[in-house]
Amino acid sequence: MKLYGYFRSSTSYRLRLALQLKGLEYENCPVNLVEGQQKGEAFAGRNPFATVPMLEVDGKDRVQSMAIIEWLDEAYPENPLLPADIEQRYLARELAYAIATELHAPLNLPVLKYLKSEYGQDQDGVNTWYRHWLARTLQPIERRLAQLNTGDFLFDKPGFFEVVLMPQIYNARRFGYDFSDAPHTTRIEAACLALDEVQRAHPDNQNDTPEGETVQ
């Protein structure tokens, strides 16, 4: 397997987490989004979306992170990310897709650049935008976790929900989002960060992470 991604890309982080939690070996192949490498013919010729991540398996390219994660669970059923119980699978998808569908699009790098170039927003304005949309989804997720009375993870181990949640928390902290009223979310974060698999997938620990780069 070859994973084409960018160290700070939340969707690339999702795939790294999924692969690590499933115990699947892969080669991390950096694609520099800041330099626009994803738009070059060498990459866009293989991936018409010109986005990361892209997962190459047995010579076939797969794109779109959520579709890849579900494909991985079907193609490699050992260490499943989705639970066997249908109601638990629903809950994992409910929470994961809330993040993937409600947050990723308005908070993606091209949108943030557009706010600056077309609407004249400075970095403070972009940060305000970012935190506004985070709250619209992360606050309901926290309330849902409270309803479910979750422990260290949504269920008995990190899975489908956590691989989507953790990258969003990482980005939220970069933009100064306040998690003081999110004890369930931050408990899951802490439990995940204590795992070697999660540390190996973390943006700070990739072969394209700039020296000295940290979430702070």
Side-chain angles (χ1 to χ4, degrees):
M1 293 187 183
K2 292 184 177 182
L3 174 60
Y4 295 83
Y6 182 61
F7 80 104
R8 192 178 271 169
S9 156
S10 60
T11 49
S12 300
Y13 189 5
R14 288 176 195 169
L15 258 293
R16 295 195 302 265
L17 284 167
L19 290 164
Q20 289 287 346
L21 291 173
K22 291 187 70 65
L24 296 170
E25 294 185 3
Y26 63 97
E27 177 185 353
N28 193 54
C29 303
V31 178
N32 194 314
L33 302 187
V34 176
E35 296 178 359
Q37 288 182 356
Q38 76 280 13
K39 299 176 183 178
E41 182 57 31
F43 188 79
R46 296 170 59 182
N47 173 8
F49 293 96
T51 57
V52 295
M54 180 174 74
L55 186 68
E56 178 187 342
V57 183
D58 296 330
K60 185 172 183 178
D61 298 327
R62 290 178 168 83
V63 298
Q64 299 296 339
S65 64
M66 301 304 288
I68 299 172
I69 292 169
E70 296 224 29
W71 175 82
L72 283 171
D73 240 14
E74 295 177 4
Y76 302 90
E78 190 173 354
N79 300 319
L81 298 171
L82 283 163
D85 178 77
I86 188 172
E87 293 303 323
Q88 289 189 343
R89 286 202 306 278
Y90 164 75
L91 286 171
R93 286 176 169 132
E94 174 192 276
L95 293 169
Y97 275 100
I99 294 171
T101 61
E102 295 177 13
L103 288 181
H104 183 69
L107 305 185
N108 208 4
L109 182 61
V111 173
L112 304 185
K113 288 182 175 179
Y114 193 79
L115 287 172
K116 289 183 176 182
S117 64
E118 298 297 325
Y119 290 95
Q121 293 295 316
D122 59 14
Q123 191 59 48
D124 285 342
V126 171
N127 292 352
T128 298
W129 165 279
Y130 205 101
R131 291 192 292 266
H132 168 79
W133 293 109
L134 284 171
R136 287 283 299 268
T137 297
L138 292 184
Q139 288 177 358
I141 284 176
E142 175 65 22
R143 291 194 291 270
R144 176 61 104 189
L145 294 174
Q147 287 178 343
L148 297 169
N149 194 28
T150 53
D152 285 348
F153 308 111
L154 178 58
F155 301 119
D156 61 335
K157 62 179 182 178
F160 191 75
F161 168 58
E162 286 81 4
V163 304
V164 179
L165 175 69
M166 289 297 291
Q168 196 60 69
I169 293 176
Y170 171 82
N171 283 342
R173 291 198 180 280
R174 286 183 55 230
F175 283 84
Y177 183 77
D178 183 5
F179 282 100
S180 60
D181 292 329
H184 294 275
T185 301
T186 53
R187 184 170 59 249
I188 291 173
E189 177 195 23
C192 285
L193 288 174
L195 300 175
D196 290 342
E197 297 91 337
V198 174
Q199 286 298 320
R200 288 193 292 269
H202 196 278
D204 291 354
N205 301 319
Q206 303 311 303
N207 58 351
D208 60 328
T209 305
E211 185 176 354
E213 182 75 27
T214 67
V215 67
Q216 288 81 20

